[in-house]
Amino acid sequence: MIETKIQYTGHFFVDAGIAVMEHYLQKECQSFSQEDLDKAAQWLTVLYQRKDIKGYLTIHFPNSGWCNATISTEKKAEYQEKVLKSYLLKPIGERECVYCHRPAQFLADRQHIPLLTGMTTIITSPGGVPGLPVCGYCLMAVQFYPLATLKCQGKPLFWWTPEPQLLSELTGEYFRQLMQLLAGGSEKLVNLDWPRTMLLNTASRVLDTYGDDKPLADCIGLHVTNYGAGPDYHQYRIPKELLEFLSEIKVMEQEVRDAHQYIIQKAWEKEKKAGDKINSENNSTGITRNFYFEALVKAFEDVDWQKNIRGIVGEFHLKTKPEEFHYNSFKLTRFFLEKVGGMEKQRLDIIKKIADQIANHLIIGNNEKKWLNDLYFRESKPSHFTGYLIKAQKSLAEKGQSFTFEDVLIMLDIYSIDDAGVKDFWLVRDLFLIRLLEIIGKHKRDLLEDLQFADEDEIEGCN
């Protein structure tokens, strides 16, 4: 009996294919037997004969024996034998597999492995010889990778992460969805949209059942193909910190969970037809767009991603409509900024302390809405916000509840005279509003009832 050597390598095409094989065979790759490999190969060969999947394979393995209609039946069978059972061949001299470093048994090109060049092209070929040296096991695994993908904007979309357990769960979601689409009987696979939404919606669903004892890691959503004039490659980074936030928020207090769930549900795009909303079934497959998921994933595409992450607070966390006031949750936003936005605990503590003092002693205690109105209605500028803090400090000092100048510097992230101005006062203002609306809504909601109708004289009252 031949010893099987299917193993994760750290390369996304190989690893995605192995994850599919594990789901089909219902066992981990290190337990694969020769009979398992034979079973998987036979299943794949039959599946890839279907008309609906053949068309999809052209964007994975162009002109290959899987999908080229001009190749004879005998040539197709020969091709499939090579890509699925090259592990039976002798090594090619002393060359190593580029993925696992075992002896290479095959020289692959773009019809065997995506994103490569043609068989006669020597550009970037290892050692100046056309073809990529691979072992038969890695080559076999790559043939299963299309089943780890969904067709999105005409290109395969799939997952990779260095944690095999997490990769298996994420890949399993797409594998099951693809099998459901194939079971639908259509002649061609549906072409989905909004890759960022699809990725983060999938991650959120996986985390619902992913055990707390299982490891999380940085993930990449890959959106790639070499179908057409040349390779087309894009990756979406989904960091471990974001996954941890999404996972841990699910076990926090009910009101915090509700506030986050409201953000997600409110962010689903509505149909363009008047009065109709996208139904939940479409949402679950990522057919429509979720603006919150889009913003989260897009934030990490920039070098200055922390600023983008913090901008999400004002766009999605702060609820300024009266009917949504009760979904303001400082604890949710604080956890988000600490976990994902890299914001210091001390700074957030001070923001909460001063906001609580204003809410309890100046607004609720004195029944003065002007301290809320002045933030809620006024155009936000650094000069206005610092003036607001000065007036609040003076009024609180009269009540024996003052905060210090050092508190203000830390809150505004100013640590030396070299700091140029107030860097993110808008974020502090948004956090103030989230906390003020939350506290007042819980303890004296009547102060919020006519907030949107406050007159101009009252708005200017604390100037």
Side-chain angles (χ1 to χ4, degrees):
M1 178 176 291
I2 298 175
E3 178 187 2
T4 65
K5 297 180 180 179
I6 295 283
Q7 63 184 31
Y8 285 101
T9 65
H11 189 277
F12 40 86
F13 289 129
V14 178
D15 290 357
I18 291 174
V20 169
M21 295 177 72
E22 289 182 333
H23 279 281
Y24 172 68
L25 295 169
Q26 291 295 296
K27 60 173 64 175
E28 295 181 352
C29 60
Q30 56 265 35
S31 300
F32 289 174
S33 65
Q34 182 61 47
E35 290 74 15
D36 291 326
L37 298 189
D38 292 340
K39 177 182 177 182
Q42 183 178 10
W43 170 72
L44 192 74
T45 302
V46 173
L47 181 67
Y48 280 3
Q49 291 175 2
R50 294 177 49 143
K51 183 177 181 180
D52 49 6
I53 197 70
K54 275 188 178 181
Y56 186 45
L57 291 175
T58 60
I59 65 176
H60 299 277
F61 308 117
N63 299 316
S64 72
W66 292 121
C67 53
N68 192 334
T70 65
I71 299 177
S72 67
T73 302
E74 292 75 16
K75 289 288 185 181
K76 288 182 179 180
E78 180 182 345
Y79 171 90
Q80 292 162 14
E81 182 77 10
K82 283 183 178 180
V83 295
L84 292 175
K85 295 192 176 181
S86 283
Y87 56 79
L88 298 173
L89 302 177
K90 293 181 179 180
I92 304 173
E94 297 181 358
R95 303 189 74 175
E96 288 186 348
C97 174
V98 295
Y99 301 128
C100 68
H101 305 294
R102 291 189 294 252
Q105 297 160 296
F106 193 84
L107 290 177
D109 58 60
R110 72 196 302 258
Q111 63 178 313
H112 311 110
I113 298 175
L115 300 187
L116 299 184
T117 54
M119 67 172 65
T120 60
T121 304
I122 64 171
I123 297 175
T124 72
S125 296
V129 179
L132 192 72
V134 294
C135 75
Y137 293 109
C138 289
L139 180 62
M140 179 186 188
V142 173
Q143 307 312 301
F144 287 80
Y145 122 84
L147 302 179
T149 74
L150 291 177
K151 187 177 181 181
C152 179
Q153 297 177 343
K155 298 184 293 183
L157 180 70
F158 64 106
W159 289 95
W160 183 82
T161 175
E163 280 292 346
Q165 291 184 71
L166 181 58
L167 177 62
S168 178
E169 294 294 329
L170 293 167
T171 298
E173 280 288 307
Y174 281 5
F175 175 61
R176 286 185 288 272
Q177 286 187 45
L178 183 61
M179 292 298 102
Q180 289 173 2
L181 291 172
L182 292 174
S186 174
E187 291 190 358
K188 57 189 298 187
L189 291 177
V190 62
N191 187 22
L192 305 173
D193 212 336
W194 309 117
R196 297 183 187 91
T197 294
M198 289 176 61
L199 290 167
L200 208 51
N201 193 37
T202 297
S204 183
R205 289 202 309 272
V206 165
L207 292 173
D208 282 338
T209 56
Y210 194 69
D212 295 337
D213 58 332
K214 293 183 179 179
L216 293 173
D218 289 350
C219 294
I220 296 174
L222 293 139
H223 202 193
V224 304
T225 183
N226 61 348
Y227 178 70
D232 185 350
Y233 177 93
H234 189 83
Q235 67 178 35
Y236 300 97
R237 182 188 173 214
I238 300 178
K240 177 182 179 181
E241 291 82 358
L242 180 56
L243 296 179
E244 288 176 340
F245 166 76
L246 294 174
S247 177
E248 293 177 37
I249 208 71
K250 296 177 185 296
V251 296
M252 296 181 76
E253 298 92 323
Q254 185 66 47
E255 62 180 22
V256 177
R257 300 200 306 271
D258 289 346
H260 189 245
Q261 192 59 32
Y262 184 79
I263 291 175
I264 295 174
Q265 293 304 318
K266 191 72 174 178
W268 285 111
E269 185 175 27
K270 298 178 182 178
E271 278 188 352
K272 294 181 179 179
K273 295 180 181 180
D276 290 334
K277 293 184 178 181
I278 300 291
N279 63 46
S280 58
E281 290 184 3
N282 285 344
N283 287 351
S284 68
T285 58
I287 292 176
T288 188
R289 171 171 45 174
N290 185 286
F291 293 101
Y292 177 55
F293 290 159
E294 293 283 316
L296 283 171
V297 178
K298 189 173 182 179
F300 292 99
E301 296 175 21
D302 295 336
V303 175
D304 191 18
W305 58 265
Q306 282 197 338
K307 182 177 180 181
N308 295 338
I309 285 295
R310 296 178 184 187
I312 287 173
V313 170
E315 187 175 358
F316 296 99
H317 285 240
L318 174 58
K319 301 301 178 183
T320 57
K321 295 181 180 179
E323 64 271 21
E324 299 177 334
F325 283 161
H326 60 291
Y327 286 113
N328 284 291
S329 171
F330 190 86
K331 187 169 185 177
L332 167 65
T333 307
R334 177 192 181 124
F335 183 58
F336 174 75
L337 289 172
E338 279 191 287
K339 197 73 179 180
V340 187
M343 198 165 175
E344 301 84 358
K345 179 180 183 300
Q346 182 186 22
R347 192 178 177 202
L348 289 163
D349 284 342
I350 291 174
I351 291 172
K352 180 179 179 296
K353 181 187 76 171
I354 296 177
D356 286 0
Q357 288 176 314
I358 293 173
N360 292 318
H361 300 288
L362 299 184
I363 301 176
I364 296 176
N366 268 12
N367 207 40
E368 291 187 72
K369 289 193 297 182
K370 63 183 182 181
W371 296 103
L372 174 60
N373 293 345
D374 200 40
L375 285 182
Y376 184 82
F377 289 99
R378 285 289 298 273
E379 180 183 359
S380 184
K381 295 180 180 179
S383 59
H384 169 255
F385 187 65
T386 53
Y388 176 90
L389 291 175
I390 292 170
K391 294 177 178 65
Q393 198 273 350
K394 181 180 178 181
S395 295
L396 285 169
E398 293 172 355
K399 300 177 181 299
Q401 295 291 330
S402 180
F403 50 88
T404 68
F405 180 65
E406 182 182 4
D407 286 341
V408 174
L409 293 180
I410 294 174
M411 180 173 65
L412 297 179
D413 198 26
I414 299 174
Y415 289 93
S416 75
I417 59 175
D418 296 325
D419 285 338
V422 182
K423 293 186 284 293
D424 55 5
F425 77 95
W426 45 269
L427 174 62
V428 181
R429 172 188 174 271
D430 289 345
L431 290 170
F432 264 51
L433 276 173
I434 289 172
R435 186 57 177 166
L436 294 180
L437 292 169
E438 180 181 25
I439 293 178
I440 298 168
K442 288 180 179 178
H443 301 288
K444 199 155 186 174
R445 188 168 181 82
D446 59 295
L447 290 176
L448 303 180
E449 291 178 356
D450 60 346
L451 183 59
Q452 70 272 36
F453 301 117
D455 56 46
E456 190 67 22
D457 291 337
E458 188 173 14
I459 294 172
E460 297 294 333
C462 66
N463 291 339

